[in-house]
Amino acid sequence: MKKIRYIIIGVCAALLSSCGNDWLDLKPSTAIETDGSLTELRDFEFVLNGAYSSMQSSNYYGANMMCYGDLTGDDMKSYKSTSTNVNYYTFKFNKTNGPSDFWGVYYGIGKNINILLRDIEKIELVPDRIITTPKMESLTEQVYYNDLKGEALAIRALLLFDMTRLYGYPYTKDNGASLAVPIIDQVVNDKNVKPSRNTTAQCYKAVVDDLTQAISLLRNVKKEGKINKWAAMTLLSRVYLYMGKDKEALETATEAIKGAESTGYKLWTNDEYAKIWATPFNSELLFEIVNLTTDSPGKSSIGYLCTKYNMIATNKFWKKYLKNMPNDVRSQMVSTASQSKPFCLKYPAQGDKSYEDANIPVFRLSELYLNAAEAAVKRGDISNTRKYLAPIYARTGKSLDDVADKDITLDLVLEQRRIEFWGEGQRFFDLIRNNKRVVRTDCLSEVPEEARSFDWNYYKIVLPVPKHEMEYNENMVQNPEYELH
């Protein structure tokens, strides 16, 4: 292969350095040639593995994405003022000290994904020819091609979705009119190109477009550590909920549940719940970030940060949902070794790996059930709300049959989301996108009064554009409220 100028991802060295990932069968690439370097389907899988490897970073799903979604909410808090990511918890960001980690991940992984998506269109396929993939599967070239392209589109959609909910106000607050982030969907070789921010509505449209195409391409199979059809549909149903498109959210989640369960996925039983987190690739995990002892974030990982008390349950959550609900199997997901340090047990040691190297669940089958239930209750469809909420509600040790129709409400569904996804980075976003108030009652003294009770009108529910972006790119604008403070 000819030597051509390389694009090197503009993220810290820790994010980009990669050891071999045995679970992927191919070493990942986090630096790829800018023009004409991808000529065989195997090359594209190589690049995808690099994207998955970079998603392990503590700057993304390895820790910070999870920490942000929980520490900004009302059910987890920093243990002390020196804990990792305490700035998320205290909302101490301003226009000069906003985090750049998320921005770097978005541009870094996105650059390589766009090169992949450009070059894969140039591949001359023999559609019916059977080839053997690195996973020793026999597939036609067309099926393999579709799967690789579908994964790339889904990863790009996930990146943009996360950035939009970090930097843009909730879609339903102003119908997506607020500015979010630039949509990076093309290969840019000119270093002088300086994109401007797109609106939240434009970003969500791009996410939906990518996911819709991805779902049409992805195979109906399980994939260990990679995005499959059902994971992409889980994300799409979540996106529709964020947009207030409840009909589409219900339809997507319903179809995905049926498809995933026909493929062998199933909800965990109450007996399994507490123990199964230690088993990778189990029946409810549609997509998880895979960590190995050789390439995990280690002491920067979410497993380490939870187990070493950087983030713990708030007193309110601990007392109401963990301590006083012993029949709820989910109450077993908190350490009882010390009531002053009730930490999350969802990132345990797995096999011969330490908790530092625990895999990170991103999409679970339980989310599809709760997405369907939320969409249904918002549509006044109590029958479907009961249908999809009942299996999750059963984890309380009670039956939803004993709950009257008048009590089947959005608040009940959100409460089940609250308990189900504690420690998985969803609580803050679930409250804010529904314009529910975040009330934080047992805060560290460093938390300012304005950050103890707020709704989607609080300007700090979105992050400021990083300082270096503002200095480098004259087309970039800051969120207005940050300019005033």
Side-chain angles (χ1 to χ4, degrees), residues 149 178 242 284 399 413 482:
K149 184 176 179 180
S178 72
Y242 277 55
E284 195 172 299
S399 172
V413 175
Y482 278 103

Side-chain angles (χ1 to χ4, degrees), residues 295-434:
D295 67 355
S296 82
K299 288 181 170 55
S300 298
S301 68
I302 185 66
Y304 182 89
L305 297 182
C306 283
T307 307
K308 292 300 180 179
Y309 323 127
N310 279 270
M311 49 195 294
I312 60 175
T314 60
N315 290 339
K316 178 175 65 174
F317 188 80
W318 157 252
K319 290 178 181 178
K320 185 171 183 178
Y321 296 111
L322 302 176
K323 182 179 179 181
N324 294 326
M325 295 182 66
N327 293 328
D328 191 319
V329 295
R330 295 164 298 186
S331 68
Q332 299 176 59
M333 301 318 300
V334 63
S335 170
T336 56
S338 171
Q339 292 193 16
S340 66
K341 302 174 183 177
F343 66 86
C344 182
L345 294 175
K346 290 183 174 179
Y347 307 98
Q350 297 172 326
D352 59 355
K353 299 191 301 183
S354 163
Y355 55 81
E356 296 178 10
D357 309 318
N359 289 359
I360 314 299
V362 179
F363 297 117
R364 295 200 277 127
L365 182 61
S366 55
E367 181 178 350
L368 282 172
Y369 275 82
L370 285 164
N371 288 356
E374 181 178 338
V377 78
K378 286 177 175 177
R379 288 173 55 79
D381 182 349
I382 299 303
S383 175
N384 271 319
T385 305
R386 283 188 176 277
K387 177 180 178 179
Y388 293 111
L389 184 60
I392 307 300
Y393 189 83
R395 291 174 173 174
T396 65
K398 303 174 184 177
S399 172
L400 195 64
D401 290 340
D402 297 328
V403 179
D405 279 357
K406 66 180 180 61
D407 296 320
I408 303 293
T409 63
L410 175 60
D411 285 340
L412 179 64
V413 175
L414 292 179
E415 181 179 57
Q416 289 306 302
R417 290 188 74 97
R418 178 182 195 175
I419 306 169
E420 187 65 35
F421 298 125
W422 178 70
E424 297 179 62
Q426 294 209 40
R427 177 61 176 170
F428 169 77
F429 298 110
D430 283 345
L431 286 170
I432 292 300
R433 67 183 173 82
N434 283 292

Side-chain angles (χ1 to χ4, degrees), residues 247-262:
K247 177 178 181 291
E248 292 86 346
L250 178 58
E251 290 172 349
T252 303
T254 299
E255 181 183 348
I257 290 169
K258 183 178 179 180
E261 292 182 344
S262 71

Side-chain angles (χ1 to χ4, degrees), residues 187-224:
V187 177
V188 178
N189 292 321
D190 184 354
K191 294 181 179 180
N192 295 317
V193 172
K194 298 176 180 180
S196 57
R197 297 172 71 182
N198 289 93
T199 66
T200 295
Q202 290 169 332
C203 289
Y204 273 110
K205 182 182 185 303
V207 170
V208 170
D209 287 347
D210 274 355
L211 287 173
T212 301
Q213 187 178 4
I215 290 163
S216 73
L217 295 169
L218 289 164
R219 288 185 293 151
N220 307 343
V221 296
K222 288 187 175 184
K223 296 181 183 178
E224 294 184 352

Side-chain angles (χ1 to χ4, degrees), residues 72 89-94 437-440 443 446-455 457-461 482 485:
T72 50
Y89 176 63
T90 59
F91 284 83
K92 288 295 180 69
F93 291 125
N94 57 51
R437 198 159 193 85
V438 181
V439 180
R440 307 158 97 207
C443 303
E446 288 81 4
V447 178
E449 192 64 32
E450 66 180 16
R452 298 187 181 211
S453 179
F454 57 88
D455 59 19
N457 292 310
Y458 181 38
Y459 77 97
K460 286 192 175 182
I461 66 164
Y482 278 103
H485 293 82

